[in-house]
Amino acid sequence: MKILFLPLKKQWYDMICSGIKKEEYRDIKPFWTVRLLEKDGITFKGYTHVKFTLGYTHTSMMFEIDSMSIRKGNPEWGAESGREYYVIALGNRISG
Protein backbone atom coordinates (compact mmCIF):
# COMPACT_ATOMS: atom_id res chain seq x y z
CA MET A 1 0.00 0.00 0.00
CA LYS A 2 1.44 3.36 -1.05
CA ILE A 3 -0.44 6.29 0.53
CA LEU A 4 -0.68 9.86 -0.75
CA PHE A 5 -1.32 12.29 2.12
CA LEU A 6 -3.35 15.42 1.30
CA PRO A 7 -4.66 18.12 3.65
CA LEU A 8 -7.97 19.68 2.61
CA LYS A 9 -9.96 22.79 3.46
CA LYS A 10 -13.17 22.08 5.38
CA GLN A 11 -15.48 22.65 2.39
CA TRP A 12 -13.76 20.02 0.23
CA TYR A 13 -13.20 17.62 3.14
CA ASP A 14 -16.92 17.71 3.99
CA MET A 15 -17.95 17.17 0.36
CA ILE A 16 -15.68 14.14 0.03
CA CYS A 17 -16.76 12.82 3.43
CA SER A 18 -20.45 13.01 2.44
CA GLY A 19 -19.80 11.27 -0.90
CA ILE A 20 -20.69 14.28 -3.06
CA LYS A 21 -17.16 14.98 -4.34
CA LYS A 22 -15.61 11.89 -5.93
CA GLU A 23 -12.27 13.28 -7.08
CA GLU A 24 -9.60 15.67 -5.85
CA TYR A 25 -7.70 18.20 -7.95
CA ARG A 26 -4.14 19.44 -7.78
CA ASP A 27 -2.62 22.21 -9.92
CA ILE A 28 -0.24 21.23 -12.68
CA LYS A 29 2.78 22.92 -11.14
CA PRO A 30 6.33 21.71 -10.38
CA PHE A 31 5.52 20.84 -6.74
CA TRP A 32 2.70 18.45 -7.71
CA THR A 33 4.52 17.15 -10.76
CA VAL A 34 7.40 15.96 -8.57
CA ARG A 35 4.99 14.50 -6.03
CA LEU A 36 2.64 12.72 -8.44
CA LEU A 37 4.70 11.77 -11.51
CA GLU A 38 7.69 9.52 -12.00
CA LYS A 39 10.95 11.07 -13.20
CA ASP A 40 9.93 10.40 -16.82
CA GLY A 41 7.25 13.09 -16.37
CA ILE A 42 4.60 10.87 -17.94
CA THR A 43 3.85 7.96 -15.61
CA PHE A 44 1.99 8.49 -12.35
CA LYS A 45 3.65 7.18 -9.21
CA GLY A 46 2.17 3.99 -7.80
CA TYR A 47 -0.10 5.47 -5.13
CA THR A 48 -2.83 3.01 -4.18
CA HIS A 49 -4.58 5.04 -1.46
CA VAL A 50 -5.12 8.67 -0.51
CA LYS A 51 -5.46 9.88 3.07
CA PHE A 52 -7.20 13.21 3.48
CA THR A 53 -6.85 15.28 6.61
CA LEU A 54 -9.03 18.19 7.66
CA GLY A 55 -6.38 20.87 7.33
CA TYR A 56 -3.44 19.86 9.49
CA THR A 57 -5.52 18.17 12.20
CA HIS A 58 -5.73 14.48 13.12
CA THR A 59 -9.23 14.23 11.58
CA SER A 60 -8.81 12.03 8.52
CA MET A 61 -10.31 9.56 6.06
CA MET A 62 -8.74 7.18 3.58
CA PHE A 63 -9.84 6.03 0.12
CA GLU A 64 -8.55 3.68 -2.52
CA ILE A 65 -7.39 5.53 -5.64
CA ASP A 66 -9.35 4.44 -8.73
CA SER A 67 -7.19 6.41 -11.14
CA MET A 68 -4.95 9.41 -11.60
CA SER A 69 -5.05 11.49 -14.77
CA ILE A 70 -4.63 14.93 -16.27
CA ARG A 71 -7.91 16.46 -17.41
CA LYS A 72 -10.47 19.16 -16.78
CA GLY A 73 -12.25 19.10 -13.45
CA ASN A 74 -15.77 19.76 -12.23
CA PRO A 75 -16.28 23.46 -11.31
CA GLU A 76 -18.80 22.43 -8.62
CA TRP A 77 -15.99 20.52 -6.95
CA GLY A 78 -13.46 23.37 -6.94
CA ALA A 79 -11.96 23.21 -10.43
CA GLU A 80 -11.66 26.32 -12.55
CA SER A 81 -13.78 25.96 -15.69
CA GLY A 82 -11.78 24.85 -18.74
CA ARG A 83 -8.52 24.32 -16.82
CA GLU A 84 -6.64 21.02 -16.62
CA TYR A 85 -5.54 19.48 -13.31
CA TYR A 86 -4.00 16.39 -11.87
CA VAL A 87 -7.18 14.48 -11.03
CA ILE A 88 -7.26 11.81 -8.32
CA ALA A 89 -10.43 9.72 -8.78
CA LEU A 90 -11.57 8.15 -5.51
CA GLY A 91 -12.57 4.53 -5.08
CA ASN A 92 -13.85 2.74 -1.98
CA ARG A 93 -13.66 4.44 1.37
CA ILE A 94 -11.34 2.51 3.70
CA SER A 95 -11.55 4.49 6.95
CA GLY A 96 -12.67 7.69 8.62
Side-chain angles (χ1 to χ4, degrees):
M1 183 183 317
K2 188 170 180 183
I3 302 171
L4 175 63
F5 293 88
L6 297 176
L8 297 176
K9 291 182 179 181
K10 183 170 180 18
Q11 176 185 3
W12 309 126
Y13 186 92
D14 289 346
M15 286 179 76
I16 290 173
C17 189
S18 68
I20 295 169
K21 187 176 181 199
K22 304 200 182 286
E23 54 192 29
E24 176 58 16
Y25 309 120
R26 293 295 178 215
D27 288 330
I28 299 175
K29 292 192 173 184
F31 176 84
W32 290 109
T33 299
V34 168
R35 204 148 167 221
L36 298 176
L37 296 180
E38 295 290 352
K39 289 184 180 180
D40 64 11
I42 299 169
T43 310
F44 282 93
K45 292 186 177 179
Y47 292 109
T48 58
H49 295 76
V50 58
K51 185 170 186 175
F52 296 112
T53 58
L54 177 56
Y56 291 95
T57 69
H58 291 290
T59 303
S60 67
M61 58 187 158
M62 188 177 328
F63 289 83
E64 292 175 343
I65 294 177
D66 265 355
S67 65
M68 294 173 70
S69 60
I70 297 174
R71 61 179 172 77
K72 294 177 184 172
N74 182 342
E76 293 177 13
W77 295 346
E80 188 178 305
S81 185
R83 186 171 166 198
E84 289 193 330
Y85 294 88
Y86 291 120
V87 178
I88 302 159
L90 305 178
N92 294 325
R93 188 171 181 164
I94 305 301
S95 66

